[in-house]
Amino acid sequence: MFLALREIKHEKVRYGLIVAMIVMISYLMFVLMSMMIGLANENKAAITTWQTQSVFLNKNANDNLSQSLITKDQLDGQRLNEHESLVGQAPVVITKAAGGADKQSAQFIGLEPDQAIAKKNIPLVSGRHARHADELVVDQSLRTKGYRLGEQVRLNSTADRYRIVGFAKDAQLNVAPVIYGRLATWKTLRGVNSQVVASGIISNRLEGGERFNNLARYTSQEFIQKLPGYAAQNNTFAFMIGFLMVISLIIIAVFLYILTMQKMPNYAVLRAQGIPARYLIATTIHQAVILMAAGICGGLLLTLLTTWLMPTTVALVLDWPLIALMVVVLIILGVLGALLPVRMILKIDPVRALNG
């Protein structure tokens, strides 16, 4: 470690450039990871707050809640228990009844007030829960769009007016704010007949497919993975992060290889003085760990600064367990890159090296 620190201190510019490159690579990886988690959260946040364990949809709905319609006949006389909720989903456009705010795309979620989700699983940041059919609870992100408590709004340019009585936390679905209202309002928006009861059934307990034989059953994770664009988005980000890891491995290996070649005369003198090869190899590995640690710390600081400066409309979520895992992986990659010049160190011939 002593020799590694002495070399870094002596060649500040050279090693500083390597650290700067690691800083930028780790910064880009941390930001991409935060964006991936943030966008994933905007896809599924509402599903998570519902404490979803099982989902039942129409078998012909192509695994999509908004395209599913469940009829009374499909329930086959089954009554919902205290853990189950009828849910109606429909894409809507919300605007102020009096004007003065841009139209916003949203997902309307119709609920029955006496069922599990409406009673227990809509956390509020301000206001109260809806008590009447003309009242809505909306995602808190709509506050940044000019919507306020007590204001009247319209949905899909209909004549009906609704009043915002509460702002909900983590009420987002399919990367859109959620608007909670009555199931009867959902039926009006969808224009369905009296035989249709909901889009799906959400349960906060793990239930088997035999619970509703005429419906398709999904676990929470299965349902989330089938959300439109969710899996493709996560796979794209994961590929980008993995590619950056490979790049970081190559960069560390190449730089350490070149630096080792340039230090061959110095290593030859040390070998001639009786310094064992394992000590020089340990020095190279220590340098890699120090460079990676310094670069990663710089990347983390830039990531924290970016998260602090970014507006709330940018989906950035720091998941510290995942970041810690990524830090460990990066350091391991740095050590692997440091092993490339090991063979060169082992074969140092002091006489030949000193003679050029």
Side-chain angles (χ1 to χ4, degrees), residues 71-255:
T71 63
K72 294 179 181 178
D73 293 338
Q74 289 172 324
L75 292 181
D76 197 23
Q78 292 275 14
R79 296 177 64 85
L80 271 62
N81 59 41
E82 61 181 353
H83 304 287
E84 298 167 343
S85 301
L86 292 173
V87 174
Q89 179 189 359
V92 296
V93 175
I94 182 174
T95 186
K96 285 187 177 182
D102 294 335
K103 294 180 179 179
Q104 299 295 324
S105 297
Q107 294 289 338
F108 183 88
I109 298 296
L111 302 169
E112 291 290 3
D114 59 344
Q115 294 178 350
I117 293 177
K119 289 172 66 176
K120 304 175 183 178
N121 302 127
I122 304 179
L124 299 180
V125 294
S126 62
R128 59 173 175 81
H129 291 285
R131 298 170 186 161
H132 306 287
D134 62 344
E135 295 179 340
L136 303 174
V137 173
V138 304
D139 179 52
Q140 60 181 336
S141 65
L142 289 178
R143 287 194 296 189
T144 64
K145 307 297 183 181
Y147 292 88
R148 297 290 181 266
L149 286 175
E151 289 185 328
Q152 290 190 330
V153 297
R154 296 175 188 242
L155 301 176
N156 290 350
S157 301
T158 59
D160 297 326
R161 298 189 175 198
Y162 304 89
R163 189 160 61 94
I164 297 175
V165 296
F167 286 101
K169 179 183 179 182
D170 293 331
Q172 293 180 319
L173 186 62
N174 297 340
V175 199
V178 165
I179 299 172
Y180 290 109
R182 290 290 178 88
L183 202 57
T185 304
W186 169 79
K187 291 180 181 180
T188 301
L189 293 170
R190 284 296 304 266
V192 296
N193 58 43
S194 59
Q195 290 300 308
V196 176
V197 295
S199 295
I201 299 172
I202 304 294
S203 174
N204 57 24
R205 282 196 173 180
L206 196 59
E207 299 180 353
E210 69 280 358
R211 177 71 177 97
F212 299 100
N213 292 321
N214 297 322
L215 301 175
R217 176 257 184 192
Y218 307 85
T219 64
S220 174
Q221 193 57 36
E222 289 172 343
F223 179 67
I224 289 172
Q225 287 296 323
K226 293 180 182 296
L227 290 173
Y230 181 84
Q233 169 190 289
N234 287 348
N235 290 339
T236 301
F237 276 105
F239 176 80
M240 293 168 66
I241 292 169
F243 192 65
L244 284 171
M245 286 185 173
V246 174
I247 290 175
S248 67
L249 172 62
I250 294 172
I251 287 175
I252 291 297
V254 169
F255 271 95

